[in-house]
Amino acid sequence: MEPLWQDETAERGLHEEALVVDIAGFEGPLDLLLHLARSQRVDLSRISVLALAEQYIAFIERARSIRIELAADYLVMAAWLAYLKSRLLIPQQAKDEGPSGEEMASALAFRLKRLEAMREAATRLINRNRLGRDVFVRGAPEHIVTERKSGFDASLYDLLSAYASLRQRQAVTQVTIEKRHVWSLSDARLILARMIGDLDDWTALDHFLVRYMATPKERATAIASSFAASLEMVREGRLEIRQEEAFAPIYLRRGPNPIDAETLAEMEAARG
Amino acid sequence: MAEAQKYLPGVPDEEDEIEAASFDPRLEQEAERIAEALVFASAQPVSEAYIESRLPRGADVHGIMLRLKALYAARGVNLVQVADHWAFRTAADLSFVVQTDEQEVRKLSRAALEVLSIIAYHQPVTRAEIEDIRGVQTSKGTLDVLMEAGWVRFRGRRRTPGRPVTFGTTRDFLDHFGLEELRDLPGIEELKGAGLLSGRVPSNLNIPVPTGDDELAENEDPITQLDLEELGLLTPKGEEAD
Amino acid sequence: MAEAQKYLPGVPDEEDEIEAASFDPRLEQEAERIAEALVFASAQPVSEAYIESRLPRGADVHGIMLRLKALYAARGVNLVQVADHWAFRTAADLSFVVQTDEQEVRKLSRAALEVLSIIAYHQPVTRAEIEDIRGVQTSKGTLDVLMEAGWVRFRGRRRTPGRPVTFGTTRDFLDHFGLEELRDLPGIEELKGAGLLSGRVPSNLNIPVPTGDDELAENEDPITQLDLEELGLLTPKGEEAD
C-alpha cells in the first residue's frame, strides 16, 4: 500500500536538483527531517543521523540565504542538530554528564520511525472499508434503540461546546464598547450654522468648539470637520474666515449671506 | 457474464462459456448477495427492475427474490414484496420487540445544554446565577427537562437572603457523559486546546473547578422534605410527585 | 448454505440440545429471531446487554450472536461486532453495487487523519503527547473536527501533575472503520512489538518540542486585553480582531 505522504512527495518543496526551498510544504521540523531521511533511501533504522543533521542544517542555511522566513521551531531544531553533530563527532569525555551523541541520535531516529509508523497507520486506516462509502447501514431502520434511562441524548462534546461558546460569547459581550465619536461634515456644518447666527465679530474657531467637545479626544475630528464645513460655508457667503499665519487661530464671523432661521430649521430637520 | 466475473475472484473462466440457461450456481449465490445488500441499504423499497440492473447479466431476478423471500420467511426479518418492489421488514410476530421502544430519544435543546453545562461547572449554583451567566432568563421547562433526564438535582439551599435553591448534577449525569468525577470536566486550557474555545479567550473568562458531588458547600444547607413541599415540588405528605 | 440450513426453523439441531440442555431449542430459535429482528431494525449498533434484556430469560446472548454472525458471514448483509455492540452492515466486497451518488464520507485533512491515528493507536493520549509525536502543534479545530465527527472523545484525565485531559476514540470510530475492537487496528501488534507505541523515547534526552503558544513559561504572566491594546495589537473597545 502506498503511504499517503509519498503521494505528496512530488508536491513537497525539496527538489534535489532545483533546490527550490519551500518550507511551507512541511508540517514542522520533524516532517522535514523525515522527508530528508527518506531521501537516504535506506531503512529508517539504518539512516545516518549525522548525514541527516548535515542535510537539515544545509537546508535551513539555504532557506535563510534566500531569505525565507523560518519559524522558530526550524531554527531550534537546526541548533539542536548542530549540537548533536558535535556530540557525534567529538568523543565522549569520561566525566561528561548528559546523554551521549549516540543516545541523542537514537532518540531522534526513534521519533522519526514513530512518526513514519503513525503515517503508515493513518494510510491503512483511511483505506479500510468505511461506513457510508464501502459498507452501508440499514437504509430504512424501523426503530431507534433507547438504551438510556433518560430518553434524552447529548454527548459530552455537545455539552462542552455549548458551555465553551456560551462563556466566550458572554465574556465578549460584557466588554463595554465605547463608541468613538467622529464628527461628520454635516454634523459640523449644523453646529457652525447654529453658532454663527449671532456672530458679529471675529471669534476663534476653537472657542466655539470647546463647548461641543465632550472629551479632548474629539478635538482633532471636530476641528478637521468644522474647518472643512466652514470653507464650504464661506463659499456660500454664509460666513467669513480669517487666519493670521500658519497654525495661528482661525477666526470666524457672520458672512454677507447669513443663515436665516428658516434655513437652519430645514437643516435641523434634515439631520433628524 | 464477463462483468460478473470481475466480482467473483476464483471462479474459473470456462464456466463463463456456458450460456445463461444453466446459470452458474456460484454466480446465482452472488446475485442473491447483491440483491440482499441492495434491499438492505435502500431507504425505500427497491424495484425489481433496479435490482436486475445491478445483477450479473442473465440472472433471473424474480427467481432470486422468491428464493430470498423463502429463505427469510422463518427468520426474525422477512423480505416482503410491495407491488413490484422489495423491502426488509421485521417479522410481523416480532413487531412487539421493535415497538415497545416508544420512548423516543430526544435531542437536548441548545438552551438545555447551556444550562446543564453551567450547572455542571458552577455547582452549587442558583437559578439567578445561571441566568446571570447566560445573560437570559431560563424558562422553567428547561430545568424541568434536565430534572426529567435525571441529570440535575436540587442540592441544597444557599445561606443567603431568600435561601435560594442550589442545583447540582447527579451520578447519572456522570455516567451518561462518561465522566468518573466532576473534576474530569476539561478546564479552560483543554477547551482551548481542543478548539472549543477560540484562541483569543477574554481575560475575564474563568472556568471554575466544580466542587464534589456529594458534599455541600460551606454556605449551603441540605434540602429537606419541608423545603421540597414548600417549593411545590413535592405534594405534602411525601407523595411522589411526577 | 449447509450451515444456514442448520438454523432454519423446523430443522432439529441435536448439538444444541446437548450443550444447552436446560434451554429449550425452540426457545433458543425464538431468541435468535428476536436478536436478529432487533439488530436488523436499527441503523445504530445495538448493545449486547440491551439485546439480552429483550430475550427470554436464560438465553445465551453471546452464543446466539456468534451463531448469527456465522450464519450471515457469507451473505450480502453481515452481522458485525462493534465493541460490545452488534450491527448489520452490507458486505464490504459488495460496495461497488451498493454505492450511490449521495454517499457522504467526511474528508479529513492530512493533519486531522494523523491526529486521529495517533489517538487511536496511543490512547489514552494527551494533547502534548500527540504534539510530541507529530513534532508540530495541533492547530485549533483539528481536534474539534474529530470530536464533531464523533470519532474522538475526552476520555479522562491523566494522573500526573496538571491532570491533563486524555483523548480516545469512540464506538462510532470503530463502526466507521469497520473495526470490532481497538485490537483490530491495522498493524497495532507489530507497532507495539517494535516499541513504537510505548510513548517513551528510549533516552533521557528530549529533542526540542514545539513551544506551545497556549502554555506560559513559569516566569511569564498571561497577556491581557489591556496589554494588547497598549501594544497597539488590538484596537481598543475589544472588537474582534481578525
Side-chain angles (χ1 to χ4, degrees):
Chain A
M1 196 174 297
E2 194 79 353
L4 269 192
W5 52 266
Q6 266 190 2
D7 299 343
E8 295 174 11
T9 306
E11 300 154 27
R12 295 296 192 83
L14 188 69
H15 300 288
E16 294 190 21
E17 306 82 23
L19 285 187
V20 178
V21 177
D22 175 15
I23 214 81
F26 293 95
E27 290 201 39
L30 210 58
D31 187 29
L32 171 55
L33 268 170
L34 183 57
H35 179 80
L36 293 170
R38 298 300 310 176
S39 65
Q40 290 190 17
R41 294 177 211 290
V42 289
D43 187 309
L44 263 191
S45 54
R46 284 167 42 226
I47 48 158
S48 160
V49 170
L50 188 60
L52 188 60
E54 277 165 355
Q55 282 179 56
Y56 182 92
I57 293 164
F59 184 92
I60 294 299
E61 287 305 321
R62 219 148 56 220
R64 298 184 79 180
S65 70
I66 55 174
R67 303 211 179 139
I68 284 182
E69 285 282 328
L70 284 174
D73 290 353
Y74 286 91
L75 300 176
V76 171
M77 180 62 90
W80 186 84
L81 287 171
Y83 173 67
L84 168 62
K85 218 176 101 180
S86 72
R87 301 288 294 208
L88 285 172
L89 294 175
I90 300 161
Q92 178 111 350
Q93 304 293 308
K95 59 186 168 196
D96 199 351
E97 308 216 332
S100 68
E102 282 71 28
E103 283 170 333
M104 290 165 67
S106 76
L108 176 60
F110 171 81
R111 289 195 62 187
L112 291 175
K113 248 172 29 193
R114 189 174 59 177
L115 180 61
E116 188 184 49
M118 279 301 108
R119 295 224 165 126
E120 274 165 8
T123 311
R124 290 170 73 177
L125 191 63
I126 211 71
N127 285 328
R128 287 184 63 83
N129 289 319
R130 292 172 64 185
L131 198 63
R133 187 185 70 180
D134 310 298
V135 168
F136 300 87
V137 305
R138 172 91 187 263
E142 292 178 57
H143 74 147
I144 300 160
V145 171
T146 56
E147 301 180 45
R148 301 188 170 105
K149 280 177 266 169
S150 70
F152 288 94
D153 190 24
S155 69
L156 184 60
Y157 175 77
D158 295 335
L159 185 74
L160 297 175
S161 53
Y163 183 69
S165 65
L166 165 78
R167 292 303 312 280
Q168 189 143 31
R169 201 169 66 229
Q170 288 305 111
V172 168
T173 55
Q174 275 163 20
V175 176
T176 44
I177 295 176
E178 181 200 350
K179 193 159 184 274
R180 183 172 192 169
H181 188 71
V182 177
W183 283 32
S184 69
L185 213 57
S186 54
D187 285 340
R189 192 177 156 83
L190 181 62
I191 286 165
L192 284 174
R194 280 190 201 131
M195 295 187 305
I196 297 298
D198 43 24
L199 266 191
D200 292 327
D201 213 349
W202 291 109
T203 312
L205 178 63
D206 308 33
H207 179 75
F208 292 122
L209 296 175
V210 169
R211 35 193 278 236
Y212 284 91
M213 282 187 260
T215 65
K217 275 191 211 161
E218 279 187 63
R219 210 181 125 87
T221 174
I223 291 181
S225 297
S226 48
F227 181 64
S230 66
L231 291 179
E232 196 185 319
M233 289 166 82
V234 168
R235 190 175 55 77
E236 294 165 356
R238 301 204 183 279
L239 70 94
E240 287 177 11
I241 194 164
R242 172 166 79 91
Q243 187 181 28
E244 299 293 331
E245 54 180 339
F247 304 110
I250 295 164
Y251 290 93
L252 308 172
R253 73 170 177 198
R254 190 169 49 197
N257 182 20
I259 294 172
D260 53 37
E262 204 178 314
T263 317
L264 183 60
E266 272 170 30
M267 287 170 72
E268 299 268 10
R271 289 287 300 154
Chain B
M1 211 54 155
E3 206 177 352
Q5 182 58 40
K6 201 166 64 189
Y7 311 141
L8 260 190
V11 177
D13 266 346
E14 305 85 68
E15 291 184 25
D16 268 12
E17 257 81 271
I18 307 166
E19 50 296 335
S22 55
F23 202 67
D24 180 348
R26 246 175 299 182
L27 278 184
E28 192 84 355
Q29 169 115 37
E30 197 59 13
E32 247 178 47
R33 295 181 71 231
I34 291 172
E36 220 169 27
L38 278 175
V39 176
F40 173 85
S42 170
Q44 273 94 39
V46 188
S47 75
E48 218 166 275
Y50 179 78
I51 298 170
E52 187 165 28
S53 75
R54 296 308 195 95
L55 293 186
R57 197 178 307 254
D60 164 24
V61 61
H62 195 65
I64 287 168
M65 297 319 287
L66 290 179
R67 271 209 308 286
L68 279 175
K69 185 180 173 185
L71 178 70
Y72 279 96
R75 308 226 42 97
V77 170
N78 303 151
L79 184 64
V80 298
Q81 190 168 7
V82 189
D84 60 342
H85 286 55
W86 292 90
F88 278 112
R89 294 275 184 267
T90 304
D93 66 317
L94 294 181
S95 56
F96 73 94
V97 186
V98 176
Q99 279 168 8
T100 41
D101 272 12
E102 259 159 37
Q103 183 193 24
E104 216 173 281
V105 180
R106 279 178 284 166
K107 271 249 165 238
L108 270 196
S109 70
R110 182 86 194 166
L113 275 174
E114 282 181 9
V115 171
L116 178 60
S117 64
I118 291 169
I119 293 174
Y121 273 99
H122 296 256
Q123 61 188 293
V125 64
T126 68
R127 187 160 164 182
E129 288 163 349
I130 295 170
E131 295 185 344
D132 190 47
I133 293 167
R134 285 188 69 214
V136 284
Q137 286 225 328
T138 303
S139 77
K140 185 171 180 303
T142 305
L143 276 165
D144 285 347
V145 159
L146 296 174
M147 294 271 196
E148 190 196 324
W151 293 336
V152 161
R153 67 191 171 95
F154 295 109
R155 266 181 67 129
R157 303 191 83 152
R158 181 74 51 79
R159 260 182 243 132
T160 53
R163 301 187 68 239
V165 167
T166 54
F167 295 94
T169 52
T170 62
R171 181 74 235 170
D172 277 356
F173 166 82
L174 294 178
D175 287 345
H176 180 93
F177 292 98
L179 299 163
E180 254 177 53
E181 46 174 340
L182 285 171
R183 290 200 329 137
D184 286 349
L185 283 169
I188 197 164
E189 285 307 320
E190 283 128 349
L191 291 176
K192 221 159 59 170
L196 294 174
L197 279 173
S198 77
R200 257 196 61 238
V201 176
S203 51
N204 60 344
L205 198 153
N206 293 308
I207 289 181
V209 178
T211 52
D213 238 349
D214 300 321
E215 322 125 33
L216 288 167
E218 277 170 24
N219 57 354
E220 249 184 324
D221 283 329
I223 217 152
T224 65
Q225 183 104 341
L226 213 68
D227 290 327
L228 290 174
E229 286 172 17
E230 194 184 290
L231 292 164
L233 295 164
L234 206 65
T235 50
K237 294 168 226 141
E239 277 166 33
E240 271 295 309
D242 46 20
Chain C
M1 213 46 161
E3 203 178 358
Q5 198 60 37
K6 193 165 83 181
Y7 300 107
L8 289 176
V11 181
D13 193 335
E14 298 87 54
E15 284 170 355
D16 265 17
E17 267 159 39
I18 300 158
E19 283 168 25
S22 57
F23 205 71
D24 179 347
R26 239 170 302 182
L27 275 185
E28 187 86 356
Q29 183 93 56
E30 199 56 16
E32 208 175 274
R33 290 182 73 230
I34 293 174
E36 195 177 34
L38 270 177
V39 180
F40 211 97
S42 170
Q44 296 301 313
V46 182
S47 81
E48 206 166 287
Y50 179 80
I51 298 167
E52 188 166 28
S53 74
R54 297 314 197 87
L55 294 186
R57 196 176 304 258
D60 165 24
V61 62
H62 195 65
I64 288 170
M65 298 319 289
L66 290 180
R67 275 210 305 284
L68 280 172
K69 183 183 173 184
L71 175 67
Y72 278 94
R75 309 226 42 98
V77 172
N78 303 150
L79 182 62
V80 298
Q81 190 168 6
V82 186
D84 56 348
H85 286 53
W86 292 89
F88 276 106
R89 301 286 181 246
T90 59
D93 66 316
L94 297 179
S95 80
F96 68 96
V97 235
V98 189
Q99 268 173 7
T100 57
D101 300 333
E102 311 138 34
Q103 46 182 318
E104 248 179 65
V105 174
R106 201 173 277 266
K107 279 251 178 269
L108 285 184
S109 69
R110 191 173 103 122
L113 179 58
E114 236 172 74
V115 170
L116 177 63
S117 315
I118 291 169
I119 292 174
Y121 284 81
H122 290 258
Q123 61 189 300
V125 64
T126 67
R127 188 163 186 247
E129 288 160 351
I130 297 169
E131 298 188 339
D132 181 57
I133 292 168
R134 296 189 63 228
V136 278
Q137 277 184 51
T138 309
S139 76
K140 320 242 176 253
T142 299
L143 278 165
D144 191 37
V145 161
L146 295 174
M147 287 203 278
E148 210 194 331
W151 292 339
V152 160
R153 64 190 171 97
F154 289 108
R155 264 182 70 132
R157 305 189 89 148
R158 182 71 52 81
R159 299 213 189 287
T160 52
R163 303 186 77 241
V165 161
T166 55
F167 295 94
T169 53
T170 62
R171 193 176 65 241
D172 278 356
F173 165 82
L174 295 177
D175 196 17
H176 184 91
F177 291 100
L179 300 161
E180 257 186 39
E181 49 180 342
L182 288 173
R183 277 190 297 176
D184 292 342
L185 281 168
I188 193 164
E189 288 306 321
E190 293 89 309
L191 289 172
K192 215 180 272 174
L196 289 168
L197 300 183
S198 69
R200 199 163 300 150
V201 178
S203 162
N204 54 349
L205 189 110
N206 290 316
I207 51 179
V209 287
T211 47
D213 66 352
D214 292 342
E215 302 141 36
L216 294 164
E218 281 167 23
N219 55 355
E220 266 179 310
D221 281 327
I223 276 186
T224 65
Q225 184 112 336
L226 214 68
D227 293 331
L228 292 173
E229 285 172 18
E230 226 168 73
L231 294 165
L233 294 169
L234 202 65
T235 50
K237 305 151 228 156
E239 280 164 29
E240 270 293 320
D242 40 16

